[in-house]
Structures are given as structure tokens and as C-alpha cells.
Amino acid sequence: MAKQKYLLVRVRYDKRVASIEPLGLEYLAGVMKEKGRDYVFYDEVFYSRLFRFRRIIKNIEENNITAVCFSVMSNNADYILKMINKLKKVKPDLKILVGGPEVNINYKDFFLDNIDFVYYDYGLDSFRIAVENDLDTDALKSATGIAYVKDGKWIHNPCGEPITDYNVKPDRSLFYENRKKYRIIAKGSFSLMKSSFSCPQECNFCISRQFNGCFYAERSVENVVNEIMEIDNNRIWLCDDDFLVNKERVIEICNKLIEKNCYKTYMIFARADSIVKCEDIMPLLYKAGFRDMLVGLEAVEDNILDSYNKNSSVEINEKAVKILRDNNMVCNGLFVINYDFKHKNFIDIHRFIRKQKLVWVLFSILIPFKGTRIHKENKHKLYKYRYGRTDGTKLLMRPQNISAVLFKVHFALLYYINFPRIYLAYLLKTYDKKYLNKGPNQ
């Protein structure tokens, strides 16, 4: 069988807040590089909205592409499926592979006529088999977590065991060549990295726990530190769901980075209760360069936090914000807007932000992702639910206490009132002046 040549596609998305490195596709590229297969990255965020389909066809033809891989998120799935249908109509012999977060959770939704392979395994071992054998289905009989069409029928194998590492280095060449195009508003250009898989918490609205078979696992400290050292960027976003879960591991990572004189700036996700638990090691975290935390505050009322099964409280949230402020760290407040909100709930969020002096904030209307408990419990309430509307700005259930119009106005005002502070921080270069890790004497 002739060697396949791959096009790795990340489709367009709203990049006003952030344009981030396509880490998932870079891991696939790492496997292809390991197996000596040719591939080309194609990131739509680089290009205008005009002539999108014509552009991807040109890319396929100029590079003699035989297989196209799509990384599917919930909010881009509809767009990708439409593109796949158009591609197959023009080039029926093209092999189409889909994977990514949404496929990992709801893979059977992608057993469709114009898709040839669906990849949903936790790790990349089965993908290695597929690439090494140039998508020969006879070689995939015992491969875990991959589905394919054989004799007109879908064959799908169960997932393998949960993983503790991908065991391959991502090919970051696309990021390195285009780092100015990948940026986070008012913060600069961050490389993405994972040091753990899944999440040990059970928030009922969050899809993250479902990954890796709901099994929380950590990469070894040595592998994490080595990858940080190898990344050619001084700003790194460790996109684990809660980097501070294992306090002893965090201490070990920080100490090793300091020992190696690695002076980089790190952004992480951290739960409020984890920040409180790690209060005594905040000076160490700061010294190591961990100065930017995205904190799922979610709500400013205990009853709402309880409804999310957050296992936290407003008191803990307030203490976490204070700890970060006292240690000169960024607190990015992440809030979830629920459908039972009244006028007072929106006002309370504004007051909390002002009282806690938060600058970086993000808001999302509750998304009942398919595969979460909150989706199952509210399936009968879903309103115009489809993939393309799961971006956190659309109503997916009807508001219970105010009109839909007033709900949307309140949601828009959260951004209009609070985002000017972020733009001001960008103009004043606040992040670089105040939070960037500039070395041991800072």
C-alpha cells in the first residue's frame, strides 16, 4: 500500500480572546514524524473567511494529500461535518479521519457516510498502528479506540487502558514559525502543554472528567520538566484541569525548574480550593514562574456552587483570589451563567468582580455538553441544541426567571462592562511589566 500523506486541519474559531497552539494536531504530527510519514499543517485561523473551501482544496492538490485529519471540538463539529461532505463530493478517494475532544466522548455520532476513520482512544498507540500501516484496515482489527468502515459496515473497538503519557514529542514547528499569530489577549504568545489527564473532581457541567476513561493520571515529574526545558518559548500554558491537585508533585516540579535555572512564565488552571490548600507554597510557585492562574470561580452564591457539585464555596473563592493577589499572581476569574439567573444574580457577579478587583475575567452561559450529567438531567429542557451553538454564548435551555432577551442583554453587559480593563492592561503592557518571570533576582 502506498504511503499516505496527511493534511492536519484545525478549522476556524473565534480568536478575539485567544488564538492558541493546536497541540492535539501537533501530537499527531509527532507520531507521523516518528513513523516517517509526510504531513502538512493547515490552520484556518491564519486566513480570511473568503474562499475557505477553495483554499483547502488547493492545499490538498498542491501537496498531493491522500488523507485529511480533523480535530473536532463540540462547537466546531457542525462546520467540520459540512466541510467533510463537500470534500468527499469533490474528492471521493480522500481518506477522512476525525478525532479530538468531542469525538473522544461521543464517537458514535461520527459514524457517518463520508468519514472513513473515527479515533477515540485515550492514547496514541492505535494511531501509531494506523499511520505505520497507512490506514490499512486489516492492521486495525485489534487496535483499541478506533472505528473504520469494512465491507460497508462500521467496525468499532473498545478503548484501551487509561494513559499516563502520550509517549511522543509534539511537533511544534507550526507554532514556532507562526508564534506571532498565536496569542492570548493582553498576555502574549503561549505554548500549550499537558502534564496530566482527566480530572479527579465531579462537577456536573464539566466534560473534562470524561477524558481518559474518567481516570486522573499524571505524567512523571521528569518528563514534565524536560518538556518545559525543551520548549522554545518563555511563556507556557499547562492546560491541565487543575495543576495544583497534587501538592507534593507541584513542589517537586517547582524545585527542579529552579535548580535548572529555568526562568519561564507559566499559566495554569487551578481550582479555588486547591489554591487555598497550596497557600503555603505560593512563594515557591511564584519563584518558579507560576504567576497566572485561571480559576473556576463559577458563581458568587453558595447555592449555585452546590448545584454545580463544585464542592467549594464563596468564602473559598474569596480566599483564593486574595491569596493570588497577595502573591502578585494573576487571577483569571471564570464564571458560569446559569439559566435560573435573575437580575440580581448578574448584578452580584459585577459586584464580586469589583470588590475582588479582578481584571481578567471570562463568562460562559452554561453548556450542557453531551456526555455530562447535566446534559442527561436536562435533556428534556434543551433548546435549539446543536454542536454549532455550544460555544458558551448561546442559550441552550430557556431562562427560567427572566426573558431570553433580557438574559442575553445581561450576559453581553458582563463583557461590555468588564473587558475594557483587559484592553487597558494590553495597552499599558501590564502583564509583561508586573507578572513576567524575569529571572532569579526579580
Side-chain angles (χ1 to χ4, degrees):
M1 180 176 285
K3 287 186 177 182
Q4 301 287 341
K5 186 168 183 180
Y6 300 88
L7 187 67
L8 301 171
V9 179
R10 203 260 293 273
V11 299
R12 57 89 178 123
Y13 59 93
D14 189 336
K15 58 181 182 179
R16 285 176 292 180
V17 173
S19 175
I20 59 176
E21 180 181 12
L23 183 61
L25 292 178
E26 291 174 343
Y27 271 114
L28 300 188
V31 172
M32 293 170 184
K33 188 175 184 179
E34 179 185 281
K35 297 300 178 183
R37 298 301 186 268
D38 293 332
Y39 56 90
V40 177
F41 287 109
Y42 182 75
D43 194 336
E44 278 197 336
V45 300
F46 293 169
Y47 309 106
S48 74
R49 292 175 174 267
L50 299 174
F51 311 116
R52 279 179 175 155
F53 185 70
R54 188 184 303 176
R55 191 180 295 114
I56 195 170
I57 289 294
K58 183 180 179 182
N59 206 305
I60 289 169
E61 292 175 346
E62 288 181 348
N63 293 288
N64 298 313
I65 299 297
T66 59
V68 181
C69 302
F70 289 95
S71 179
V72 184
M73 304 281 286
S74 178
N75 62 349
N76 66 24
D78 286 341
Y79 177 82
I80 287 174
L81 293 176
K82 289 178 182 177
M83 179 180 284
I84 287 171
N85 290 338
K86 291 172 70 175
L87 282 173
K88 277 290 195 175
K89 189 173 182 180
V90 176
K91 294 190 172 293
D93 294 332
L94 202 64
K95 299 293 185 185
I96 301 293
L97 299 84
V98 296
E102 186 60 32
V103 177
N104 186 269
I105 304 301
N106 300 301
Y107 64 90
K108 290 183 180 180
D109 289 356
F110 297 87
F111 291 177
L112 303 171
D113 290 343
N114 287 326
I115 294 176
D116 299 291
F117 297 88
V118 177
Y119 194 82
Y120 48 93
D121 209 16
Y122 307 134
L124 293 172
D125 288 346
S126 292
F127 189 74
R128 282 187 176 87
I129 295 171
V131 170
E132 189 174 32
N133 291 278
D134 295 297
L135 306 181
D136 182 357
T137 55
D138 289 336
L140 301 177
K141 292 178 181 178
S142 59
T144 59
I146 189 168
Y148 52 91
V149 178
K150 184 81 170 179
D151 299 325
K153 296 181 180 180
W154 277 98
I155 307 297
H156 56 100
N157 300 329
C159 288
E161 295 297 314
I163 63 169
T164 58
D165 209 318
Y166 285 130
N167 297 315
V168 68
K169 292 181 180 180
D171 176 3
R172 300 181 183 272
S173 58
L174 180 70
F175 174 82
Y176 293 148
E177 293 166 7
N178 301 277
R179 66 177 74 211
K180 288 185 178 180
K181 296 178 182 178
Y182 293 116
R183 88 291 176 269
I184 298 171
I185 187 171
K187 295 185 179 183
S189 182
F190 278 73
S191 293
L192 262 65
M193 179 179 161
K194 281 193 72 68
S195 81
S196 68
F197 304 90
S198 189
C199 178
Q201 304 297 329
E202 297 185 12
C203 305
N204 59 18
F205 63 88
C206 184
I207 197 70
S208 298
R209 177 175 169 77
Q210 308 304 316
F211 300 128
N212 208 34
C214 298
F215 179 79
Y216 175 72
E218 299 169 341
R219 293 176 60 191
S220 72
V221 170
E222 182 182 5
N223 284 351
V224 171
V225 172
N226 286 343
E227 183 171 352
I228 287 173
M229 297 290 292
E230 291 170 0
I231 292 175
D232 181 20
N233 193 5
N234 288 329
R235 306 179 199 222
I236 297 175
W237 181 2
L238 287 107
C239 51
D240 310 343
D241 289 281
D242 183 3
F243 182 75
L244 303 181
V245 167
N246 185 340
K247 186 176 178 179
E248 297 307 314
R249 176 176 180 261
V250 172
I251 292 172
E252 189 176 355
I253 289 172
C254 288
N255 284 329
K256 285 188 177 296
L257 290 171
I258 293 169
E259 287 170 10
K260 293 176 179 291
N261 296 316
C262 182
Y263 305 121
K264 299 187 179 185
T265 303
Y266 309 99
M267 180 165 63
I268 62 173
F269 284 104
R271 281 174 57 94
D273 55 340
S274 294
I275 292 170
V276 173
K277 178 187 68 178
C278 292
E279 180 177 8
D280 60 315
I281 66 167
M282 286 296 155
L284 176 65
L285 279 158
Y286 183 87
K287 185 178 181 181
F290 292 88
R291 303 178 180 183
D292 190 350
M293 301 195 189
L294 295 105
V295 187
L297 301 173
E298 319 303 3
V300 298
E301 296 165 67
D302 285 337
N303 64 314
I304 298 176
L305 289 169
D306 291 342
S307 73
Y308 295 155
N309 198 34
K310 188 70 181 177
N311 294 322
S312 188
S313 67
V314 175
E315 182 181 359
I316 290 174
N317 283 350
E318 290 176 339
K319 187 172 183 179
V321 174
K322 184 178 186 302
I323 289 169
L324 296 182
R325 184 168 59 244
D326 290 348
N327 286 275
N328 195 36
M329 296 176 176
V330 180
C331 178
N332 304 267
L334 311 180
F335 296 90
V336 175
I337 310 305
N338 207 346
Y339 296 95
D340 62 358
F341 268 30
K342 301 176 182 178
H343 172 76
K344 179 182 179 300
N345 299 114
F346 287 98
I347 299 302
D348 286 344
I349 289 178
H350 286 291
R351 287 174 176 165
F352 180 91
I353 292 169
R354 187 165 61 249
K355 179 183 177 183
Q356 301 300 326
K357 300 178 182 178
L358 295 176
V359 174
W360 277 273
V361 289
L362 283 172
F363 311 95
S364 172
I365 299 174
L366 179 65
I367 308 171
F369 285 113
K370 188 176 180 182
T372 60
R373 199 175 85 203
I374 207 164
H375 180 275
K376 295 174 183 175
E377 292 173 351
N378 293 279
K379 201 169 184 179
H380 61 291
K381 297 180 182 179
L382 296 181
Y383 169 71
K384 295 184 178 179
Y385 188 95
R386 60 178 184 275
Y387 280 130
R389 302 186 78 245
T390 57
D391 62 357
T393 66
K394 310 292 192 306
L395 289 173
L396 300 174
M397 292 188 280
R398 294 185 183 277
Q400 299 172 20
N401 295 307
I402 58 176
S403 70
V405 171
L406 188 56
F407 189 100
K408 290 177 183 177
V409 169
H410 273 302
F411 179 71
L413 284 173
L414 287 170
Y415 277 104
Y416 287 133
I417 291 172
N418 292 291
F419 252 51
R421 290 193 295 275
I422 299 178
Y423 289 118
L424 181 61
Y426 167 71
L427 294 172
L428 297 176
K429 300 185 186 311
T430 301
Y431 194 85
D432 287 6
K433 292 177 181 177
K434 190 174 181 181
Y435 303 109
L436 211 59
N437 186 0
K438 298 173 183 176
N441 298 319
Q442 185 180 22

